[in-house]
PDB file of all heavy atoms in Angstrom:
ATOM      1  N   ALA M   1     -18.074  17.282   7.940  1.00 87.00           N
ATOM      2  CA  ALA M   1     -17.291  16.543   8.851  1.00 87.00           C
ATOM      3  C   ALA M   1     -16.000  17.314   9.320  1.00 87.00           C
ATOM      4  O   ALA M   1     -15.579  17.214  10.544  1.00 87.00           O
ATOM      5  CB  ALA M   1     -16.818  15.283   8.126  1.00 87.00           C
ATOM      6  N   THR M   2     -15.494  18.090   8.492  1.00 88.00           N
ATOM      7  CA  THR M   2     -14.383  18.943   8.910  1.00 88.00           C
ATOM      8  C   THR M   2     -14.739  19.932   9.992  1.00 88.00           C
ATOM      9  O   THR M   2     -14.013  20.177  10.946  1.00 88.00           O
ATOM     10  CB  THR M   2     -13.777  19.666   7.570  1.00 88.00           C
ATOM     11  OG1 THR M   2     -13.406  18.697   6.729  1.00 88.00           O
ATOM     12  CG2 THR M   2     -12.477  20.482   7.953  1.00 88.00           C
ATOM     13  N   TYR M   3     -15.872  20.651   9.756  1.00 85.00           N
ATOM     14  CA  TYR M   3     -16.318  21.539  10.721  1.00 85.00           C
ATOM     15  C   TYR M   3     -16.739  20.960  12.039  1.00 85.00           C
ATOM     16  O   TYR M   3     -16.445  21.461  13.042  1.00 85.00           O
ATOM     17  CB  TYR M   3     -17.562  22.372  10.259  1.00 85.00           C
ATOM     18  CG  TYR M   3     -17.302  23.257   9.034  1.00 85.00           C
ATOM     19  CD1 TYR M   3     -18.263  23.565   8.113  1.00 85.00           C
ATOM     20  CD2 TYR M   3     -16.051  23.790   8.818  1.00 85.00           C
ATOM     21  CE1 TYR M   3     -18.033  24.446   7.064  1.00 85.00           C
ATOM     22  CE2 TYR M   3     -15.737  24.604   7.722  1.00 85.00           C
ATOM     23  CZ  TYR M   3     -16.780  24.968   6.891  1.00 85.00           C
ATOM     24  OH  TYR M   3     -16.505  25.766   5.875  1.00 85.00           O
ATOM     25  N   LEU M   4     -17.310  19.699  11.993  1.00 81.00           N
ATOM     26  CA  LEU M   4     -17.582  19.028  13.244  1.00 81.00           C
ATOM     27  C   LEU M   4     -16.336  18.707  14.091  1.00 81.00           C
ATOM     28  O   LEU M   4     -16.445  18.632  15.280  1.00 81.00           O
ATOM     29  CB  LEU M   4     -18.311  17.666  12.884  1.00 81.00           C
ATOM     30  CG  LEU M   4     -19.855  17.799  12.862  1.00 81.00           C
ATOM     31  CD1 LEU M   4     -20.327  16.259  12.438  1.00 81.00           C
ATOM     32  CD2 LEU M   4     -20.402  18.137  14.074  1.00 81.00           C
ATOM     33  N   SER M   5     -15.248  18.403  13.396  1.00 83.00           N
ATOM     34  CA  SER M   5     -14.016  18.119  14.076  1.00 83.00           C
ATOM     35  C   SER M   5     -13.388  19.139  14.907  1.00 83.00           C
ATOM     36  O   SER M   5     -12.651  18.878  15.842  1.00 83.00           O
ATOM     37  CB  SER M   5     -12.945  17.499  13.072  1.00 83.00           C
ATOM     38  OG  SER M   5     -12.547  18.519  12.360  1.00 83.00           O
ATOM     39  N   VAL M   6     -13.724  20.500  14.583  1.00 81.00           N
ATOM     40  CA  VAL M   6     -13.097  21.521  15.307  1.00 81.00           C
ATOM     41  C   VAL M   6     -14.229  22.272  16.108  1.00 81.00           C
ATOM     42  O   VAL M   6     -13.815  23.238  16.843  1.00 81.00           O
ATOM     43  CB  VAL M   6     -12.416  22.537  14.426  1.00 81.00           C
ATOM     44  CG1 VAL M   6     -11.064  21.798  13.683  1.00 81.00           C
ATOM     45  CG2 VAL M   6     -13.270  23.079  13.298  1.00 81.00           C
ATOM     46  N   ASN M   7     -15.434  22.040  15.904  1.00 75.00           N
ATOM     47  CA  ASN M   7     -16.426  22.806  16.638  1.00 75.00           C
ATOM     48  C   ASN M   7     -16.667  22.364  18.049  1.00 75.00           C
ATOM     49  O   ASN M   7     -17.101  21.130  18.147  1.00 75.00           O
ATOM     50  CB  ASN M   7     -17.782  22.759  15.746  1.00 75.00           C
ATOM     51  CG  ASN M   7     -18.834  23.617  16.325  1.00 75.00           C
ATOM     52  OD1 ASN M   7     -18.724  24.224  17.293  1.00 75.00           O
ATOM     53  ND2 ASN M   7     -19.942  23.606  15.600  1.00 75.00           N
ATOM     54  N   PRO M   8     -16.391  23.150  19.093  1.00 61.00           N
ATOM     55  CA  PRO M   8     -16.634  22.658  20.517  1.00 61.00           C
ATOM     56  C   PRO M   8     -18.165  22.590  20.841  1.00 61.00           C
ATOM     57  O   PRO M   8     -18.353  22.008  21.926  1.00 61.00           O
ATOM     58  CB  PRO M   8     -15.846  23.728  21.283  1.00 61.00           C
ATOM     59  CG  PRO M   8     -15.946  24.958  20.376  1.00 61.00           C
ATOM     60  CD  PRO M   8     -15.870  24.463  18.970  1.00 61.00           C
ATOM     61  N   ILE M   9     -19.050  23.037  20.051  1.00 67.00           N
ATOM     62  CA  ILE M   9     -20.365  23.124  20.430  1.00 67.00           C
ATOM     63  C   ILE M   9     -21.138  21.968  19.717  1.00 67.00           C
ATOM     64  O   ILE M   9     -20.990  21.856  18.459  1.00 67.00           O
ATOM     65  CB  ILE M   9     -21.117  24.361  20.026  1.00 67.00           C
ATOM     66  CG1 ILE M   9     -20.381  25.640  20.689  1.00 67.00           C
ATOM     67  CG2 ILE M   9     -22.570  24.305  20.320  1.00 67.00           C
ATOM     68  CD1 ILE M   9     -20.879  26.951  20.186  1.00 67.00           C
ATOM     69  N   PHE M  10     -21.619  21.082  20.556  1.00 57.00           N
ATOM     70  CA  PHE M  10     -22.304  19.892  20.030  1.00 57.00           C
ATOM     71  C   PHE M  10     -23.821  20.158  19.722  1.00 57.00           C
ATOM     72  O   PHE M  10     -24.558  20.690  20.591  1.00 57.00           O
ATOM     73  CB  PHE M  10     -22.224  18.720  21.003  1.00 57.00           C
ATOM     74  CG  PHE M  10     -22.590  17.394  20.452  1.00 57.00           C
ATOM     75  CD1 PHE M  10     -21.729  16.853  19.470  1.00 57.00           C
ATOM     76  CD2 PHE M  10     -23.693  16.775  20.816  1.00 57.00           C
ATOM     77  CE1 PHE M  10     -22.143  15.672  18.945  1.00 57.00           C
ATOM     78  CE2 PHE M  10     -24.065  15.604  20.301  1.00 57.00           C
ATOM     79  CZ  PHE M  10     -23.173  14.930  19.360  1.00 57.00           C
ATOM     80  N   HIS M  11     -24.215  19.960  18.467  1.00 60.00           N
ATOM     81  CA  HIS M  11     -25.600  20.380  17.943  1.00 60.00           C
ATOM     82  C   HIS M  11     -26.521  19.082  18.147  1.00 60.00           C
ATOM     83  O   HIS M  11     -26.098  17.975  17.985  1.00 60.00           O
ATOM     84  CB  HIS M  11     -25.524  20.721  16.512  1.00 60.00           C
ATOM     85  CG  HIS M  11     -24.696  22.013  16.360  1.00 60.00           C
ATOM     86  ND1 HIS M  11     -25.120  23.334  16.689  1.00 60.00           N
ATOM     87  CD2 HIS M  11     -23.521  22.151  15.819  1.00 60.00           C
ATOM     88  CE1 HIS M  11     -24.194  24.143  16.427  1.00 60.00           C
ATOM     89  NE2 HIS M  11     -23.169  23.557  15.969  1.00 60.00           N
ATOM     90  N   ALA M  12     -27.766  19.381  18.507  1.00 57.00           N
ATOM     91  CA  ALA M  12     -28.724  18.266  18.685  1.00 57.00           C
ATOM     92  C   ALA M  12     -29.021  17.472  17.491  1.00 57.00           C
ATOM     93  O   ALA M  12     -29.197  16.310  17.488  1.00 57.00           O
ATOM     94  CB  ALA M  12     -30.019  18.955  19.206  1.00 57.00           C
ATOM     95  N   ARG M  13     -28.777  18.133  16.269  1.00 60.00           N
ATOM     96  CA  ARG M  13     -29.081  17.481  15.028  1.00 60.00           C
ATOM     97  C   ARG M  13     -28.031  16.408  14.653  1.00 60.00           C
ATOM     98  O   ARG M  13     -28.093  15.636  13.725  1.00 60.00           O
ATOM     99  CB  ARG M  13     -29.347  18.434  13.916  1.00 60.00           C
ATOM    100  CG  ARG M  13     -28.141  19.330  13.523  1.00 60.00           C
ATOM    101  CD  ARG M  13     -28.520  20.247  12.419  1.00 60.00           C
ATOM    102  NE  ARG M  13     -27.436  21.181  12.125  1.00 60.00           N
ATOM    103  CZ  ARG M  13     -27.331  22.300  12.607  1.00 60.00           C
ATOM    104  NH1 ARG M  13     -28.182  22.740  13.579  1.00 60.00           N
ATOM    105  NH2 ARG M  13     -26.324  23.067  12.314  1.00 60.00           N
ATOM    106  N   THR M  14     -26.938  16.490  15.370  1.00 63.00           N
ATOM    107  CA  THR M  14     -25.807  15.553  15.161  1.00 63.00           C
ATOM    108  C   THR M  14     -25.632  14.615  16.326  1.00 63.00           C
ATOM    109  O   THR M  14     -24.508  13.933  16.499  1.00 63.00           O
ATOM    110  CB  THR M  14     -24.497  16.215  14.849  1.00 63.00           C
ATOM    111  OG1 THR M  14     -24.192  17.136  15.937  1.00 63.00           O
ATOM    112  CG2 THR M  14     -24.496  17.108  13.587  1.00 63.00           C
ATOM    113  N   LYS M  15     -26.652  14.415  17.181  1.00 59.00           N
ATOM    114  CA  LYS M  15     -26.571  13.677  18.349  1.00 59.00           C
ATOM    115  C   LYS M  15     -26.310  12.238  18.057  1.00 59.00           C
ATOM    116  O   LYS M  15     -25.571  11.558  18.848  1.00 59.00           O
ATOM    117  CB  LYS M  15     -27.891  13.749  19.173  1.00 59.00           C
ATOM    118  CG  LYS M  15     -27.847  13.065  20.415  1.00 59.00           C
ATOM    119  CD  LYS M  15     -29.257  13.266  21.103  1.00 59.00           C
ATOM    120  CE  LYS M  15     -29.187  12.557  22.518  1.00 59.00           C
ATOM    121  NZ  LYS M  15     -30.436  12.659  23.202  1.00 59.00           N
ATOM    122  N   HIS M  16     -26.696  11.746  16.947  1.00 59.00           N
ATOM    123  CA  HIS M  16     -26.416  10.367  16.565  1.00 59.00           C
ATOM    124  C   HIS M  16     -24.969   9.990  16.245  1.00 59.00           C
ATOM    125  O   HIS M  16     -24.649   8.972  16.068  1.00 59.00           O
ATOM    126  CB  HIS M  16     -27.344   9.902  15.343  1.00 59.00           C
ATOM    127  CG  HIS M  16     -27.248  10.884  14.214  1.00 59.00           C
ATOM    128  ND1 HIS M  16     -27.807  12.000  14.128  1.00 59.00           N
ATOM    129  CD2 HIS M  16     -26.557  10.655  12.999  1.00 59.00           C
ATOM    130  CE1 HIS M  16     -27.571  12.720  13.004  1.00 59.00           C
ATOM    131  NE2 HIS M  16     -26.750  11.812  12.294  1.00 59.00           N
ATOM    132  N   VAL M  17     -24.190  11.021  16.154  1.00 64.00           N
ATOM    133  CA  VAL M  17     -22.708  10.681  15.958  1.00 64.00           C
ATOM    134  C   VAL M  17     -21.801  11.151  17.063  1.00 64.00           C
ATOM    135  O   VAL M  17     -20.670  11.453  16.923  1.00 64.00           O
ATOM    136  CB  VAL M  17     -22.249  11.452  14.623  1.00 64.00           C
ATOM    137  CG1 VAL M  17     -22.917  10.987  13.352  1.00 64.00           C
ATOM    138  CG2 VAL M  17     -22.405  13.014  14.612  1.00 64.00           C
ATOM    139  N   GLU M  18     -22.443  11.213  18.146  1.00 63.00           N
ATOM    140  CA  GLU M  18     -21.793  11.769  19.347  1.00 63.00           C
ATOM    141  C   GLU M  18     -20.486  11.086  19.831  1.00 63.00           C
ATOM    142  O   GLU M  18     -19.543  11.693  20.063  1.00 63.00           O
ATOM    143  CB  GLU M  18     -22.775  11.708  20.623  1.00 63.00           C
ATOM    144  CG  GLU M  18     -22.237  12.407  21.737  1.00 63.00           C
ATOM    145  CD  GLU M  18     -23.228  12.556  22.831  1.00 63.00           C
ATOM    146  OE1 GLU M  18     -24.439  12.104  22.643  1.00 63.00           O
ATOM    147  OE2 GLU M  18     -22.849  12.987  24.034  1.00 63.00           O
ATOM    148  N   VAL M  19     -20.436   9.755  19.722  1.00 63.00           N
ATOM    149  CA  VAL M  19     -19.245   9.092  20.154  1.00 63.00           C
ATOM    150  C   VAL M  19     -18.140   9.385  19.284  1.00 63.00           C
ATOM    151  O   VAL M  19     -17.064   9.747  19.675  1.00 63.00           O
ATOM    152  CB  VAL M  19     -19.591   7.498  20.226  1.00 63.00           C
ATOM    153  CG1 VAL M  19     -18.277   6.770  20.534  1.00 63.00           C
ATOM    154  CG2 VAL M  19     -20.609   7.242  21.258  1.00 63.00           C
ATOM    155  N   ASP M  20     -18.300   9.249  17.953  1.00 65.00           N
ATOM    156  CA  ASP M  20     -17.198   9.623  17.052  1.00 65.00           C
ATOM    157  C   ASP M  20     -16.866  11.040  17.108  1.00 65.00           C
ATOM    158  O   ASP M  20     -15.809  11.466  16.961  1.00 65.00           O
ATOM    159  CB  ASP M  20     -17.704   9.354  15.628  1.00 65.00           C
ATOM    160  CG  ASP M  20     -17.685   7.812  15.361  1.00 65.00           C
ATOM    161  OD1 ASP M  20     -16.931   7.042  16.014  1.00 65.00           O
ATOM    162  OD2 ASP M  20     -18.362   7.325  14.405  1.00 65.00           O
ATOM    163  N   TYR M  21     -17.945  12.030  17.320  1.00 64.00           N
ATOM    164  CA  TYR M  21     -17.522  13.318  17.553  1.00 64.00           C
ATOM    165  C   TYR M  21     -16.560  13.560  18.604  1.00 64.00           C
ATOM    166  O   TYR M  21     -15.588  14.345  18.378  1.00 64.00           O
ATOM    167  CB  TYR M  21     -18.906  14.088  17.799  1.00 64.00           C
ATOM    168  CG  TYR M  21     -18.734  15.512  18.126  1.00 64.00           C
ATOM    169  CD1 TYR M  21     -18.567  16.423  17.075  1.00 64.00           C
ATOM    170  CD2 TYR M  21     -18.582  15.938  19.412  1.00 64.00           C
ATOM    171  CE1 TYR M  21     -18.319  17.796  17.481  1.00 64.00           C
ATOM    172  CE2 TYR M  21     -18.421  17.316  19.799  1.00 64.00           C
ATOM    173  CZ  TYR M  21     -18.244  18.168  18.827  1.00 64.00           C
ATOM    174  OH  TYR M  21     -18.019  19.459  19.109  1.00 64.00           O
ATOM    175  N   HIS M  22     -16.834  13.052  19.774  1.00 74.00           N
ATOM    176  CA  HIS M  22     -16.029  13.283  20.881  1.00 74.00           C
ATOM    177  C   HIS M  22     -14.708  12.598  20.683  1.00 74.00           C
ATOM    178  O   HIS M  22     -13.739  13.252  21.209  1.00 74.00           O
ATOM    179  CB  HIS M  22     -16.697  12.854  22.164  1.00 74.00           C
ATOM    180  CG  HIS M  22     -17.898  13.590  22.652  1.00 74.00           C
ATOM    181  ND1 HIS M  22     -17.609  15.026  22.979  1.00 74.00           N
ATOM    182  CD2 HIS M  22     -19.111  13.469  22.761  1.00 74.00           C
ATOM    183  CE1 HIS M  22     -18.797  15.500  23.382  1.00 74.00           C
ATOM    184  NE2 HIS M  22     -19.728  14.555  23.290  1.00 74.00           N
ATOM    185  N   PHE M  23     -14.650  11.468  20.113  1.00 77.00           N
ATOM    186  CA  PHE M  23     -13.361  10.759  19.813  1.00 77.00           C
ATOM    187  C   PHE M  23     -12.384  11.669  18.916  1.00 77.00           C
ATOM    188  O   PHE M  23     -11.276  11.983  19.311  1.00 77.00           O
ATOM    189  CB  PHE M  23     -13.611   9.479  19.081  1.00 77.00           C
ATOM    190  CG  PHE M  23     -12.389   8.817  18.578  1.00 77.00           C
ATOM    191  CD1 PHE M  23     -11.503   8.220  19.525  1.00 77.00           C
ATOM    192  CD2 PHE M  23     -12.035   8.663  17.377  1.00 77.00           C
ATOM    193  CE1 PHE M  23     -10.377   7.574  19.181  1.00 77.00           C
ATOM    194  CE2 PHE M  23     -10.912   7.954  16.929  1.00 77.00           C
ATOM    195  CZ  PHE M  23     -10.057   7.356  17.860  1.00 77.00           C
ATOM    196  N   ILE M  24     -12.980  12.225  17.781  1.00 83.00           N
ATOM    197  CA  ILE M  24     -12.105  13.027  16.975  1.00 83.00           C
ATOM    198  C   ILE M  24     -11.866  14.487  17.634  1.00 83.00           C
ATOM    199  O   ILE M  24     -10.720  14.903  17.556  1.00 83.00           O
ATOM    200  CB  ILE M  24     -12.763  13.261  15.523  1.00 83.00           C
ATOM    201  CG1 ILE M  24     -12.887  11.823  14.935  1.00 83.00           C
ATOM    202  CG2 ILE M  24     -12.015  14.223  14.726  1.00 83.00           C
ATOM    203  CD1 ILE M  24     -13.625  11.779  13.667  1.00 83.00           C
ATOM    204  N   ARG M  25     -12.938  15.015  18.119  1.00 80.00           N
ATOM    205  CA  ARG M  25     -12.798  16.391  18.686  1.00 80.00           C
ATOM    206  C   ARG M  25     -11.753  16.459  19.768  1.00 80.00           C
ATOM    207  O   ARG M  25     -10.937  17.377  19.873  1.00 80.00           O
ATOM    208  CB  ARG M  25     -14.191  16.839  19.252  1.00 80.00           C
ATOM    209  CG  ARG M  25     -14.131  18.086  19.991  1.00 80.00           C
ATOM    210  CD  ARG M  25     -14.031  19.244  18.960  1.00 80.00           C
ATOM    211  NE  ARG M  25     -13.781  20.585  19.729  1.00 80.00           N
ATOM    212  CZ  ARG M  25     -12.681  21.172  19.793  1.00 80.00           C
ATOM    213  NH1 ARG M  25     -11.621  20.848  19.149  1.00 80.00           N
ATOM    214  NH2 ARG M  25     -12.546  22.312  20.548  1.00 80.00           N
ATOM    215  N   ASP M  26     -11.747  15.289  20.625  1.00 82.00           N
ATOM    216  CA  ASP M  26     -10.708  15.304  21.710  1.00 82.00           C
ATOM    217  C   ASP M  26      -9.249  15.297  21.144  1.00 82.00           C
ATOM    218  O   ASP M  26      -8.395  15.894  21.632  1.00 82.00           O
ATOM    219  CB  ASP M  26     -10.827  14.083  22.552  1.00 82.00           C
ATOM    220  CG  ASP M  26     -12.096  14.232  23.481  1.00 82.00           C
ATOM    221  OD1 ASP M  26     -12.572  15.414  23.628  1.00 82.00           O
ATOM    222  OD2 ASP M  26     -12.407  13.251  24.114  1.00 82.00           O
TER     223      ASP M  26
END
């Protein structure tokens, strides 16, 4: 989860968490 929050590359295997990903990443 920590790595996802700073990784600008969105991986296909995490597509199901896309909304939360973009919310935190932004």
Side-chain angles (χ1 to χ4, degrees):
T2 304
Y3 292 155
L4 272 177
S5 70
V6 296
N7 187 353
I9 301 170
F10 193 67
H11 298 285
R13 66 181 174 270
T14 58
K15 185 176 181 181
H16 53 284
V17 294
E18 186 173 357
V19 172
D20 287 336
Y21 170 84
H22 287 296
F23 174 70
I24 295 171
R25 176 71 187 112
D26 287 350

